[in-house]
Structure formats: C-alpha cells, structure tokens
Amino acid sequence: MTMIPRRHFLASTSVAVSTTGGWSAAQALAPSAPARQTSKAWQLLAVAPQSHKVADLGSDYRRGLELGLAQRPDVAVQLHWVEAPPTPNRAARSITAAIDQRPQLHGVVGWMPPAVEAQVAAHAQPLGLPLWASDTGADLPASAEPGQPQAVVRHSLDLCGSAAQLAQAVYQQLGPRAVLAVGQMEGGYDFVYTFEHAYRALGGRVVARHVGEFGPQSAEFDGLRTAVFSHRPDAVVALYSGPQLARFGRWWQAHAQSQGAWGLAGLPWLADVHTGGNAVTAGAWPSAAQAQPVWKQRFERVGLPWTAAALMGAEAGYSIAAALDQSTQGPSASALHEAWMMSVLQGPRAVSSRITTSTNHVFNRPATPLISGWLNGYLQT
C-alpha cells in the first residue's frame, strides 16, 4: 500500500518575465472596434502556468486571457507575463520578485494553486495590490484564518466540484459499482477522493482502483483490463489528463469489443478523445461538443484550442475586462480592487455552465459536501 503525496495540480515549470503588453497583443485578437483613447492602461502582472505533462497549458491560458480581454477592446490593459517553477515556494518567489520589479503594477492575475496563492497574497496585500487567482480546484483550499491575506477573486476550474458531479452522473446513469482508473499524476489530489466520497454517499462503491504507471506504454493499462474483467463493474471512471488520456482513449477504443457491458465516464476532457462509444461526462466546464457557438467561433478565429486552460484564461480575461469597463475611476490599485470585488464571472464557461445541452453531460453541481481526502489520509493500493 503506497501513500500518494498530495500534489499541486499542473504546477508551473519555468521562469520568464515578459514586458510585452498584453493589451497590444489582445488588440490583434479583438473584434474590429475603435480603441478608447487613454494615456494610461491598467498594469497587471499575469502568471502563466506551465506543465511537464501538458505542454500547451501555459500558452493556452495566456492566449485565452488575452482573447477574453480583447472582447472589450476599449479597455486598456497592459499585461506583464511571468511563468513560475513547479514547486509552490519557487513559484511564489518568482511571482513576488516580478512584483517587486514593477512598482507601476495595479494588480496580479494568473494561474496559482492555493499554496502559491497564499504566499503571493501575503506579499501583495501590504503593497495594496489585489490578486485574481485562477486554479484547477484539484485540491480544496484550506480555510483562511482571520486576517490571513487572500485573493480578491479565487477563480477555479472546480475539479473537486466536477468530481462530485461525476459521481452523481455515474451512479444515476450507469450504476452503483465502479472501477476507478486514475493517472499517475492525478492520484494524489483531493478531487479523486471527492469522487469516491460523493459516490459512496449516494450508495455507490468503488470496487477496484488502477493507477496508470509510468513505464512501457504497451503494458500501461494491462492492470486495468484485469481489474475490469475481475470485478465486472457498471462503469469505468477514467480520471486521466494530457497524453495519458489520449493513450487511454486509443486503448479503450481498441478493446471496446471485448470490454463487456460496462460504461465509461470521466471529466469533460474525456469527450475530447475518441473512445469508440458514448461516455458519460460531468464537470464545471463544457467540452467542445457543448461549446457556446459565439465562443467557439472566437476560439476558432484565433486558432485557440478548446482546452480547460484556454477556457479559464478566456473567462478570467473577459470578466476582468467587463469589470474594468464598468469602473468610473482611472487605473489604480484601489480602483482595481473595487472593480474585482464587484466582478461577475462571464465567458465561455460561465454561460455554458447554466445550460444542460446533452443527456450524457451533467453541469449542475450536487449538494454533496466536498471533503478533502487528506483529512483521513488518502491511500492508493
């Protein structure tokens, strides 16, 4: 029995600071409209995620943020990009160093897991800089103590909430017995435990677990095949991401004829790979098949893939631009703080999350309370 250490999902891997203005970059993506004449733009430090596993994570989030801002071309925003290393402490040091190098900043926006957010907030708050923190929501953030600095906006992909939705969908649409297939990189996050907790609360049972190991890809899913045929579950719940998800899709499709009557389920990105049949998906963001036409067109116009990171960036950029457009004050840290306090999430994910567009996809979040697996210890067999 192996204890899987808790991880910070899709953390950053490299350091770079760019002085290239995000506003000017965004103008190239904007609809044709005259820009408001202004002598001063909102100055934001923008944090892009990087990942060894998902090579395009950082570029997708960055381009998504710029695309979202571009939908309000009369709002002048200057972005100063920084990419952070993989560990929380190194990431926080890179971000805070970039803050200290730029006294003209009005705020900080970007991809920061809770551990990074906490350190950056502690550094930014005494400087009066508001913080907008995007994250996967793969780990539940710890409750803040009174007076502890926090982000003004915590903007999450909500993987834990999505896992609870998925548990409800699997139980209701497929049945009460499931084999949980987890990627090597996903095994140590709260959202995996959240699925199990929510599934058990409904009366379901995870009859077996398989962790996709690193090693020869030809044997990557052999143990999963054995577990499925041994337990004959109602469903296989596939919690993979990145290239491993693509390999799983090919493996499942190749073995579809011999997989039996059990169903397949996963988070929305499962719908983006070919599995040879219908899969039940649930989550806080729409797959490409459920994309809102207007946003799908905007993504296609600039050649931006419909990925979770790009959606998060676009939602953050669009929401920030909308909030600044409503501001009656000139650019300043205090004005930005006030605008973000009043902001409402808008964009490709916020619009779609209120509409169920497929009987095989669940958007509505169940009432099951989310509990961290780390309260009791999370063991993988």
Side-chain angles (χ1 to χ4, degrees):
M1 189 171 287
T2 303
M3 175 68 77
I4 306 296
R6 191 179 193 187
R7 302 191 179 98
H8 302 280
F9 196 68
L10 299 179
S12 302
T13 60
S14 60
V15 183
V17 177
S18 170
T19 58
T20 301
W23 179 43
S24 60
Q27 295 304 303
L29 307 176
S32 56
R36 179 193 303 165
Q37 295 299 316
T38 178
S39 59
K40 190 174 182 182
W42 298 87
Q43 302 289 327
L44 301 181
L45 183 71
V47 182
Q50 293 296 317
S51 170
H52 290 297
K53 187 174 185 183
V54 184
D56 296 328
L57 186 73
S59 61
D60 284 355
Y61 180 79
R62 175 173 179 159
R63 293 177 62 202
L65 183 66
E66 292 176 345
L67 176 64
L69 288 170
Q71 305 313 307
R72 300 289 181 111
D74 54 341
V75 177
V77 177
Q78 186 86 14
L79 298 179
H80 306 274
W81 284 98
V82 57
E83 298 176 352
T87 59
N89 287 340
R90 292 179 60 207
R93 285 198 297 269
S94 297
I95 298 166
T96 55
I99 291 174
D100 292 340
Q101 293 169 11
R102 302 183 182 285
Q104 79 275 26
L105 291 175
H106 300 128
V108 182
V109 58
W111 190 289
M112 285 166 275
V116 178
E117 173 204 327
Q119 295 184 61
V120 175
H123 188 84
Q125 183 171 298
L127 300 174
L129 297 177
L131 175 63
W132 180 300
S134 300
D135 178 43
T136 61
D139 284 331
L140 296 175
S143 299
E145 299 177 0
Q148 180 179 337
Q150 287 184 286
V152 174
V153 177
R154 178 177 286 152
H155 174 222
S156 175
L157 189 61
D158 196 19
L159 287 189
C160 285
S162 297
Q165 293 176 25
L166 180 61
Q168 185 180 66
V170 171
Y171 184 81
Q172 293 178 347
Q173 298 184 37
L174 298 178
R177 300 177 72 253
V179 167
L180 186 58
V182 184
Q184 175 86 14
M185 296 293 291
E186 286 74 28
Y189 297 101
D190 282 343
F191 79 98
V192 178
Y193 179 85
T194 297
F195 172 86
E196 293 201 53
H197 171 75
Y199 196 53
R200 287 197 306 267
L202 292 166
R205 179 186 171 207
V206 174
V207 296
R209 302 172 187 84
H210 177 263
V211 179
E213 300 288 341
F214 293 123
Q217 293 182 8
S218 59
E220 190 173 14
F221 304 108
D222 285 355
L224 175 59
R225 180 182 176 87
T226 300
V228 170
F229 276 94
S230 296
H231 295 276
R232 300 191 174 276
D234 300 308
V236 174
V237 180
L239 300 180
Y240 302 102
S241 64
Q244 191 172 34
L245 174 62
R247 294 195 300 272
F248 169 79
R250 292 192 293 270
W251 178 86
W252 185 270
Q253 188 173 19
H255 295 85
Q257 296 301 319
S258 61
Q259 296 297 354
W262 37 83
L264 178 64
L267 295 172
W269 45 56
L270 181 63
D272 297 329
V273 300
H274 297 293
T275 57
N278 292 328
V280 172
T281 61
W285 75 100
S287 67
Q290 287 96 28
Q292 289 291 308
V294 63
W295 276 102
K296 190 65 181 296
Q297 292 171 5
R298 288 167 177 165
F299 273 58
E300 291 174 346
R301 190 178 302 125
V302 298
L304 182 60
W306 191 266
T307 65
L311 289 172
M312 285 287 287
E315 185 175 74
Y318 189 76
S319 302
I320 288 170
L324 296 181
D325 197 35
Q326 296 297 315
S327 177
T328 59
Q329 305 179 55
S332 70
S334 60
L336 184 63
H337 186 281
E338 181 178 331
W340 282 0
M341 286 287 291
M342 302 299 293
S343 64
V344 177
L345 288 178
Q346 307 173 58
R349 192 172 64 109
V351 172
S352 298
S353 63
R354 297 185 177 90
I355 303 171
T356 300
T357 56
S358 169
T359 57
N360 286 335
H361 187 88
V362 177
F363 282 118
N364 297 326
R365 179 169 173 168
T368 305
L370 304 184
I371 298 177
S372 171
W374 304 100
L375 297 178
N376 304 311
Y378 184 74
L379 299 179
Q380 280 282 20
T381 57

